[in-house]
C-alpha cells in the first residue's frame, strides 16, 4: 500500500480507546489510514521523524471570535499598562489621532474594573477632535467608552432607546460609558472593515491559532450588523481566506440569531428559518461549514450584566440584563429547533441558564429531535439542579478555562465567596454526563489551549486563589474536552478529535507530555509544530523538514 506520508518515532496520544498510544501514523488524502501495526506493508512518499516528541490530536477551540481578533490587529491595544489609567489611555488616543486625524480611533483590551478612573466622552473628544470619533472596548466586549462625536454617530448622544445602557452625568449628558446592546449600535456605526484588509488580517489571526496547536475553531457569531462578525459578507471573507491559502485552520461558522430568516417553500412548514438560497445547518465541507446558530441571551459577569437570580454582591437591586426578552427567546428557539438548527446560547448568569434550560426542554418535548445537541456557551454560574438538567437533556456545555485565571477574582468579588462556589463548573458537569467542549472566547481571554487546559486542571485565579478545587479536571479530561469534546459540540466527532483510521490527520507536537508532566508545569509547555490534514502548517523547528 502506497500512502502520502508517515510520521514516525512520535509519542502519539491518540485518544482512541482501541489504540490509545502510537509511534507511527500513516496519512493519505489528509486522513489517518492507520497507526503502528495497521501500517504493516505500507510505504510512503514522505517519512517524517518526530524524534520521540509527544503528539496530541489538534486542539479545537469551540468558541472563538477570529473576526474580532482580526479587526483588533489594526486597533490600539490597551490591555497592558497603556490601559491602566485615564491619562495613559488619553495619551495613546492622542498619538493615534495625530497619525489618522480624520478616521475612527478604535481600541480594546483594558479592564474597566481595574481602571483608576475613566476618560469621559468630552476628554476623549479633546485629544482626538470631532473628526476622529473614538470607541474603546473593554476586554469583555460588553462595555466600552466613546467620545462625544462617536456617541452622536451611533445615535446615543441623547440616550434614545438605549438610554438605560448609556451612563449619564449629573446634567443628564452621556458620560461616555456604553453597555450591552448599545455596544452593538456603536459597532454598527463604525461600519465594516474593507474586505481585502479583513481577509489578510483573518489570515494573520488564523496563523496565530496554528502556532497554538489549534487545527479547528468555531467562529461564535457571523453576519450580525451589531458587532458579532463583520457583517453579511462574513462567509465570503472566510471562503476567500481559505481559497487563497491564508486559513491554516478548519472553521465552523455560527450565524448570529438575526441572520437566519423565513424562506418560502423550504422545509415542511411555513416557519422554516435559514440563510439565503435555503442554506441550512451543516452546509460546507471539512474545511469550512455552517454550524449552530448563536444567540446572545445575557451579558458579562465581570461587568455585572449577566442575568442572575440574586443581586450582585454589594449591589442591591442589580441582577444584570437579558439581551433577549425570555418569551421572545423561547419563540426563536422553537423556530430554529423545528428548522433543524443546533442552537448555541450565550448564557452566563444562573437566571439566563434557567431560561435556556426551560426553552431547550420545551422544544424537545413538543418537537423531539434526536441528537439535537443544543449548547450553552459559557454557563459561568450554574446551580447543582441546573447541572443535572444539562446532563439529563443532553445539552453540550462550552465553558472557557482561561476565564478562571483571568476573571476568577472578579467572580469572587461580584458573587461573594458563597455564591462563587457555583462559578465555572466543570468536573460536576462531566460527572452529570455532560459533554464538555474546550474553548477560549478569544480575544476576550487568552486563546492558547495550553493556558486553558492549565486553568481547567489547576483553577488558579490571577491572584493565586484556587477557585472551587472540586471542579478541577484531570489533564486527560481537559485534553479530551479540547479535542473530542469540541468536535462533538459541532457534530463533527466522526472526523475530528482523535487520531484513528478515517479521521482527519490533524495534530500538534508538544514540548513535553501533557499527561505526564506535573500539573503545575502544563502552562510551561509549548507547541513545536502543528499538522493539518497531514501537512505542516506551523513549525518552530520541532520537525526537520
Amino acid at each position: 500500500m502506497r500512502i502520502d506520508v508517515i510520521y514516525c518515532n512520535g509519542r502519539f496520544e491518540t485518544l482512541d480507546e482501541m489504540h490509545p498510544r502510537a509511534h507511527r501514523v500513516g496519512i493519505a488524502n489528509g486522513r489517518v489510514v492507520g497507526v503502528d501495526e495497521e501500517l504493516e506493508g505500507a510505504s510512503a512518499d514522505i517519512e517524517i521523524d518526530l524524534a520521540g516528541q509527544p503528539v496530541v490530536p489538534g486542539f479545537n477551540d469551540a468558541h472563538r471570535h477570529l473576526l474580532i481578533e482580526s479587526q483588533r490587529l489594526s486597533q490600539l491595544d490597551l490591555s497592558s499598562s497603556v490601559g491602566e489609567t485615564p491619562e495613559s489611555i488619553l495619551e495613546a488616543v492622542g498619538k493615534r489621532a495625530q497619525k489618522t486625524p480624520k478616521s475612527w480611533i478604535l481600541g480594546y483590551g483594558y479592564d474597566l474594573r481595574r481602571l483608576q478612573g475613566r476618560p469621559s466622552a468630552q476628554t476623549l473628544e479633546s485629544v482626538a477632535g470631532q473628526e476622529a470619533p473614538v470607541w474603546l472596548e473593554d476586554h469583555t466586549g460588553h462595555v466600552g467608552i466613546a467620545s462625544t462625536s462617536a456617541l452622536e454617530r451611533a445615535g446615543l448622544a441623547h440616550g434614545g432607546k438605549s438610554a438605560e445602557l448609556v451612563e449619564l452625568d449629573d446634567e443628564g449628558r452621556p458620560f461616555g460609558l456604553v453597555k450591552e446592546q448599545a455596544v452593538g449600535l456603536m459597532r454598527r456605526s463604525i461600519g465594516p472593515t474593507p474586505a481585502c484588509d479583513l481577509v489578510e488580517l483573518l489570515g494573520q489571526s488564523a496563523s496565530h491559532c496554528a502556532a497554538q496547536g489549534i487545527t479547528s475553531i468555531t467562529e461564535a457569531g457571523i453576519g450580525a450588523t451589531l458587532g458579532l462578525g463583520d457583517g453579511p459578507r462574513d462567509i465570503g471573507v472566510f471562503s476567500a481566506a481559505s481559497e487563497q491559502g491564508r486559513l491554516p485552520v478548519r472553521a465552523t461558522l455560527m450565524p448570529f440569531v438575526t441572520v437566519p430568516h423565513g424562506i418560502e417553500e423550504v422545509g415542511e412548514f411555513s416557519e422554516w428559518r435559514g440563510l439565503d438560497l435555503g442554506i441550512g445547518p451543516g452546509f460546507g465541507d471539512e474545511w469550512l461549514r455552517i454550524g449552530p446558530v448563536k444567540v446572545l441571551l445575557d451579558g458579562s459577569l465581570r461587568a455585572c450584566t449577566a442575568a442572575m437570580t440574586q443581586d450582585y454582591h454589594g449591589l442591591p437591586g442589580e441582577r444584570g440584563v437579558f439581551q433577549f426578552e425570555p418569551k421572545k427567546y423561547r419563540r426563536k428557539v422553537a423556530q430554529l429547533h423545528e428548522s433543524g438548527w443546533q442552537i448555541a446560547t450565550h448564557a452566563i448568569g444562573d437566571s439566563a441558564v434557567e431560561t435556556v434550560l426551560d426553552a431547550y426542554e420545551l422544544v424537545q418535548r413538543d418537537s423531539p429531535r434526536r441528537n439535537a445537541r443544543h449548547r450553552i456557551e459559557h454557563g459561568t454560574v450554574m446551580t447543582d439542579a441546573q447541572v443535572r438538567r444539562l446532563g439529563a437533556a443532553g445539552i453540550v456545555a462550552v465553558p472557557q478555562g482561561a476565564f478562571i485565571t483571568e476573571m476568577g477574582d472578579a467572580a469572587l468579588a461580584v458573587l461573594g465567596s458563597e455564591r462563587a462556589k457555583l462559578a465555572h463548573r466543570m468536573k460536576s458537569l462531566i460527572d452529570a454526563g455532560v459533554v464538555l467542549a474546550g474553548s477560549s472566547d478569544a480575544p476576550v481571554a487568552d486563546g492558547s489551549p495550553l493556558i486553558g487546559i492549565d486553568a481547567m486542571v489547576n483553577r488558579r485565579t490571577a491572584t493565586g486563589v484556587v477557585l472551587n478545587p472540586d471542579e478541577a479536571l484531570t489533564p486527560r479530561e481537559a485534553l479530551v474536552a479540547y479535542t473530542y469534546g469540541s468536535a462533538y459540540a459541532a457534530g463533527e466527532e466522526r472526523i475530528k478529535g482523535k487520531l484513528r483510521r478515517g479521521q482527519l490527520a490533524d495534530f500538534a507536537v508538544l514540548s513535553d507530555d501533557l499527561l505526564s508532566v506535573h500539573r503545575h508545569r502544563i502552562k510551561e509547555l509549548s507547541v513545536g509544530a502543528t499538522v493539518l490534514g497531514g501537512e505542516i502548517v506551523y513549525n518552530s523547528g520541532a520537525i526537520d523538514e
Side-chain angles (χ1 to χ4, degrees), residues 23 69 105-106 188 190 280 308 324 332 337 405 429 433 435 541:
H23 297 286
E69 290 181 81
I105 296 174
L106 307 175
R188 183 165 64 182
I190 296 166
M308 305 294 296
F324 245 107
K332 184 64 68 173
H337 174 84
T405 303
L429 285 164
V435 175

Side-chain angles (χ1 to χ4, degrees), residues 42-59:
S43 60
D45 298 327
I46 302 171
E47 190 160 310
I48 297 175
D49 189 341
L50 294 176
Q53 297 176 97
V55 183
V56 296
F59 297 122

Side-chain angles (χ1 to χ4, degrees), residues 241-315:
S242 181
E243 290 173 0
Q244 294 174 24
R246 295 174 180 262
L247 201 65
V249 294
R250 306 180 193 275
T252 298
L253 309 180
M254 284 190 191
F256 191 58
V257 64
T258 56
V259 176
H261 53 86
I263 299 178
E264 295 181 0
E265 300 178 2
V266 178
E268 298 179 355
F269 61 104
S270 61
E271 291 296 313
W272 193 88
R273 315 293 288 181
L275 311 184
D276 287 333
L277 301 178
I279 292 174
F283 182 83
D285 57 21
E286 64 194 37
W287 294 101
L288 195 62
R289 64 184 288 272
I290 303 299
V293 169
K294 169 70 179 293
V295 186
L296 194 64
L297 186 57
D298 69 343
S300 160
L301 187 66
R302 198 166 194 169
C304 296
T305 54
M308 305 294 296
T309 58
Q310 299 179 42
D311 296 349
Y312 281 98
H313 183 66
L315 296 173

Side-chain angles (χ1 to χ4, degrees), residues 185-196:
L185 296 175
M186 286 299 313
R187 291 170 175 168
R188 183 165 64 182
S189 69
I190 296 166
T193 307
C196 58

